[in-house]
Each structure stands twice: as C-alpha cells, then as structure tokens.
Amino acid sequence: MLATWAHGMYKMLLQEVRVPLIGLFLGLIVYIACFSIYALGPVPMDRYGDSPDGSYWQSIDLVLTGEHSVSFFPNRFVTGSGFILLVIAFEKVVGSREVAWLLLNALFYIGMGWCFYLLAVRVLQDRIAAFFSAMLLILNYAAVVFGLNYGADVSGWFFYSVALYCSFRYLTTKQPMWLWAATAF
C-alpha cells in the first residue's frame, strides 16, 4: 500500500507542469507590487513641506475643503488633476487616502507592466522575450521605488505604455481607431 502511494507520488512529481506564461506574468506583477509595498513600507513624506508629495496632499485638501496653506503651490493640481480626483474618489470608497493612493499606484503599476508586455509581444513576436523585457521594466529600480510610492509617476508611465501600444498598433494595421486611441491616452 505504501509502495503504491510512493510510486504514485513519484510519477506525479515527474509530470511536466505547464503554467501559461500570461498567468505567470500577471501573477508575478501582482506579487511584486504587493511585496514591494509591504517591504518598502512607503510613508507619506512631509505632507505640507517641501517634499514631492506635499503639493499633492495640499491639492487634495483644496478640492475637499476649499482651503490651502500659505505655501501652497498649485503645480500638482494643474498637471495631475485627473490623478488627484481619482485619489479622492478612491478615498471615498476605501476610507483612507493613503490606502487609496497606494491601491491606485499598484493598479497603474500592474497596468503598465501588462501594456508593456503586450507591446513587447507585438514588437518582438516572441512571448518569452516579451516576458523578460517586461520583467526588466517592472523590476526597474525607478518603477518599484517611485512607482509604488506616494507620487503620480506610475500613472504617467501607464498612460505612456498604453499610448506606445496604440501607436504601434496603428503603425502595423493602419486602422485610424488605434491612432485616435493613442491620441486619447
């Protein structure tokens, strides 16, 4: 009985396990995003000082309360109003500005990696090469540290990746719909 069980386990361990590359890639992106946020433990810097995220916090407060500090400089609201409004909307759903901000950045990070993978598949015409190309992008120091932090960098990188993908699709298919999509992003 034990020998039969052991032989069955031995045969099971020898079987080839095939995991779809797309599933592996998406799982890795999600894992990297979650692990990086957990390991790096991003903390909002000085919310109202000279830090890069201070003006984002002040812009969000301006939208929510109508008030701002004396040192408020509206550059982030002018250049990143869509992101600021998304953080406000997610804050109402999640209940925390910090969690909403990191959740949005994680979603943009995952989307950036996915769009770049799709672009690399089309350009390189090899799924394994596209996998490693996209892994180089998503494991880049700047993408991990600054993308999964309290900033708006990764949202810009996401839209840039989508625009590149749509532009490449337009170049290869000559369908105007892809040009309009690239323009929209």
Side-chain angles (χ1 to χ4, degrees):
M1 178 80 169
L2 184 59
T4 307
W5 177 81
H7 182 67
M9 291 300 292
Y10 175 74
K11 286 178 73 176
M12 184 178 76
L13 290 174
L14 288 180
Q15 288 180 349
E16 184 178 339
V17 177
R18 299 191 65 85
V19 177
L21 193 60
I22 292 173
L24 175 68
F25 181 71
L26 284 175
L28 274 172
I29 294 177
V30 171
Y31 175 77
I32 291 167
C34 294
F35 179 77
S36 296
I37 289 172
Y38 172 75
L40 296 174
V43 176
M45 294 180 246
D46 180 19
R47 293 180 179 156
Y48 296 103
D50 293 329
S51 70
D53 68 345
S55 56
Y56 282 113
W57 284 93
Q58 292 178 39
S59 295
I60 292 171
D61 287 343
L62 176 66
V63 171
L64 292 175
T65 65
E67 299 175 6
H68 59 81
S69 68
V70 178
S71 63
F72 175 66
F73 190 67
N75 66 324
R76 298 294 185 199
F77 189 77
V78 172
T79 61
S81 58
F83 183 78
I84 289 168
L85 294 174
L86 270 176
V87 171
I88 291 170
F90 267 62
E91 180 182 358
K92 292 184 186 307
V93 173
V94 177
S96 166
R97 184 178 299 178
E98 291 88 352
V99 172
W101 201 326
L102 287 179
L103 179 64
L104 266 174
N105 280 345
L107 291 174
F108 280 127
Y109 178 81
I110 292 165
M112 174 196 65
W114 178 248
C115 287
F116 189 81
Y117 171 76
L118 293 176
L119 175 64
V121 165
R122 296 227 175 242
V123 171
L124 302 173
Q125 301 199 353
D126 182 6
R127 293 192 183 280
I128 294 174
F131 173 81
F132 286 112
S133 298
M135 290 302 289
L136 282 172
L137 174 75
I138 65 171
L139 289 173
N140 182 335
Y141 175 81
V144 172
V145 172
F146 300 115
L148 296 170
N149 204 336
Y150 291 98
D153 296 349
V154 76
S155 61
W157 300 335
F158 166 74
F159 288 112
Y160 183 68
S161 296
V162 174
L164 280 176
Y165 175 78
C166 294
S167 297
F168 186 78
R169 289 295 304 262
Y170 171 72
L171 288 174
T172 57
T173 65
K174 299 297 185 212
Q175 295 176 347
M177 142 185 109
W178 290 110
L179 182 61
W180 289 111
T183 305
F185 286 105

